[in-house]
Amino acid sequence: HTLADSPKEARLLDKNTGERIVMITGNSWTSSHLLGLDRYLHSGSGFGGVACVPTNDLLLVHEITGPDFMESSVEMTTLAMHLFNDGPQSISPHLYWWNEGEVQRIVEADGDGTTKPTWDQSFSRMLARMEQTA
């Protein structure tokens, strides 16, 4: 019941490219909102969203609406690694893909700043579908 019971604050961070990143904070259960990202995705693009949960009281969400999400994903991963290493209450420096209620790690980030892709064929298919519609 943490999704329903957790007070939260959602702030919209607009980028000059027109992209939107939602920063969700509130309390120590904020990270549980990763499982319910559909409430923060609005376009209905069908591509889902990328998110990071560096600490238990912070969730960053970027809705995937087109190829521009790649730049934001790199920035989110860099920020997640920094916040994860600084703590307190660190959870994960990784980047996740939320799509239709499922969460998948797509970028693995190490404490030394290195990253590597870890996505499977479903994420690759989404990228191909997005490229065809662009």
Side-chain angles (χ1 to χ4, degrees):
H1 297 285
T2 57
L3 284 174
D5 298 339
S6 177
K8 64 188 178 308
E9 176 185 353
R11 287 187 269 176
L12 187 60
L13 309 172
D14 286 324
K15 297 181 66 177
N16 58 1
T17 60
E19 297 176 82
R20 300 172 354 137
I21 295 176
V22 179
M23 182 172 73
I24 303 154
T25 59
N27 69 20
S28 59
W29 296 105
T30 300
S31 59
S32 69
H33 288 265
L34 178 63
L35 302 175
L37 288 189
D38 54 328
R39 35 176 96 176
Y40 304 106
L41 306 178
H42 300 291
S43 77
S45 67
F47 301 132
V50 293
C52 62
V53 286
T55 63
N56 67 351
D57 61 351
L58 175 66
L59 172 62
L60 295 172
V61 179
H62 182 279
E63 184 167 8
I64 301 173
T65 57
D68 290 340
F69 89 94
M70 298 275 197
E71 182 181 324
S72 292
S73 296
V74 171
E75 294 168 1
M76 287 173 63
T77 302
T78 301
L79 179 60
M81 284 191 297
H82 176 73
L83 293 170
F84 174 80
N85 288 333
D86 285 351
Q89 302 171 343
S90 297
I91 291 185
S92 168
H94 312 303
L95 189 67
Y96 298 91
W97 176 46
W98 182 96
N99 190 45
E100 298 180 5
E102 295 185 20
V103 177
Q104 174 187 146
R105 183 174 63 192
I106 58 171
V107 175
E108 184 176 304
D110 293 328
D112 64 358
T114 59
T115 60
K116 67 179 177 182
T118 60
W119 61 76
D120 67 10
Q121 290 181 356
S122 60
F123 187 75
S124 296
R125 283 192 299 271
M126 182 278 295
L127 292 174
R129 187 169 43 93
M130 181 179 57
E131 188 174 301
Q132 289 174 350
T133 61

